[in-house]
Amino acid sequence: MKKLKTWLGAFLMALTLIPASTWAAGYTQTKYPIVLVHGLFGFDKIGPVDYFYGLSSALRSDGAKVFTTQVSAANSTEVRGEQLLTQVKQILAATGAAKVNLIGHSHGGPTIRYVASVRPDLVASVTSIGGVNKGSAVADVILGVAPPGSLPNSVLVSVTNGLGSIINFLSGGTGLRQDSLAAVKSLSTAGSLSFNRSHPEGVPTSACGEGAYVVRGVSYFSWSGAKPYTNVFDVVDPALALTSLAFAGAKSDGLVSSCSSHLGRVIRDNYAMNHLDEVNQTIGLVNLFETNPVTLYRQHANRLRNLGM
Ligand code: CA
């Protein structure tokens, strides 16, 4: 009898343990590979692999196949998009997968949208994080095309200085590249709206609403932060506080307004995160009082998995 009880106890314990570990093991196991696409400047100093800091491994650990891509750090959306398309085809050939799940940050948002727009048959989902989908007021300021009189001169100077500090930090002090102008034009409001006319999939038709959830078989998602300064130990935060002035009080993550980040299904547009927190930078220095970015990426992989993607 005692033996039976021991056996029953062990059996029940095994029952509670096995399903839990099985579930955890497949939590991020998407049907299609996840492809991560970096933003402007690609953090030359940090490198393409660590741009999404600690996120590839966090996704892989519970089953996802994850690929990190590298496109031009600073170039037009179309040039970056063509580069990405080539890499997507290589990933599909290497894995034998029929499609990919694209996840892009910042300029990576429009870049993945380009691929889904020209080759929707190769893409299961597009996820834009802090994506510059309707342009950035910071780019407008840099190009000198901010609406006249909309911002005092001192603010324009602060925004420019702030962006200069961010670029210097991310690119290891190499400054603006020759093709930076093409990038900034793509990221301006006018450049983004022009891109959207050719590639409208998932873009909200209203100023700050949601876009279509599924277009030509591709599912569209987005999220973003809305808090420029989040961690006193992160050296980039003061610069993001300066660039956030370009938005004249509108919600932003320091470089992109919440409304501009909207694409397809908006998961949330006001996490207490700044533009770099969205990719768990600088090296994991994020807001301690907000959901960790690693958790958001894992939850999203699980979301894609549950949708059969
Ligand atoms: Ca940070």
Side-chain angles (χ1 to χ4, degrees), residues 198-234:
S198 306
H199 309 285
E201 298 86 356
V203 176
T205 49
S206 59
C208 200
E210 288 190 302
Y213 284 18
V214 182
V215 187
R216 295 159 78 200
V218 181
S219 295
Y220 287 82
F221 304 89
S222 59
W223 76 77
S224 74
K227 193 172 169 61
Y229 194 108
T230 60
N231 189 314
V232 293
F233 297 108
D234 192 329

Side-chain angles (χ1 to χ4, degrees), residues 230 234 237 274 276-277 281-282 285-286:
T230 60
D234 192 329
D237 283 32
N274 62 38
L276 295 197
D277 293 340
Q281 298 281 5
T282 307
L285 290 172
V286 296

Side-chain angles (χ1 to χ4, degrees), residues 93-181:
T95 58
K99 296 181 181 194
V100 290
N101 290 305
L102 296 171
I103 298 182
H105 175 245
S106 190
H107 197 180
T111 307
I112 60 176
R113 284 173 45 209
Y114 176 89
V115 172
S117 177
V118 300
R119 287 302 302 272
D121 54 312
L122 304 181
V123 181
S125 70
V126 160
T127 301
S128 161
I129 299 164
V132 195
N133 295 314
K134 286 191 175 173
S136 165
V138 175
D140 295 344
V141 166
I142 302 304
L143 288 175
V145 294
S150 61
L151 295 167
N153 199 48
S154 58
V155 169
L156 299 181
V157 171
S158 295
V159 170
T160 309
N161 288 344
L163 187 66
S165 305
I166 294 168
I167 291 167
N168 272 331
F169 176 75
L170 299 179
S171 58
T174 52
L176 285 167
R177 298 244 190 111
Q178 282 183 346
D179 43 11
S180 293
L181 187 61

Side-chain angles (χ1 to χ4, degrees), residues 212-299:
Y213 284 18
V214 182
V215 187
R216 295 159 78 200
V218 181
S219 295
Y220 287 82
F221 304 89
S222 59
W223 76 77
S224 74
K227 193 172 169 61
Y229 194 108
T230 60
N231 189 314
V232 293
F233 297 108
D234 192 329
V235 296
V236 185
D237 283 32
L240 286 166
L242 288 180
T243 52
S244 73
L245 297 172
F247 299 94
K251 275 192 304 179
S252 85
D253 63 7
L255 285 175
V256 182
S257 74
S258 292
C259 293
S260 179
S261 77
H262 287 197
L263 183 76
R265 176 179 163 193
V266 178
I267 291 161
R268 239 183 90 177
D269 71 355
N270 63 347
Y271 287 108
M273 296 180 180
N274 62 38
H275 198 64
L276 295 197
D277 293 340
E278 290 161 0
V279 285
N280 202 27
Q281 298 281 5
T282 307
I283 54 167
L285 290 172
V286 296
N287 192 344
L288 296 174
F289 307 102
E290 177 56 279
T291 309
N292 194 277
V294 176
T295 307
L296 296 189
Y297 282 76
R298 284 172 52 81
Q299 283 174 346

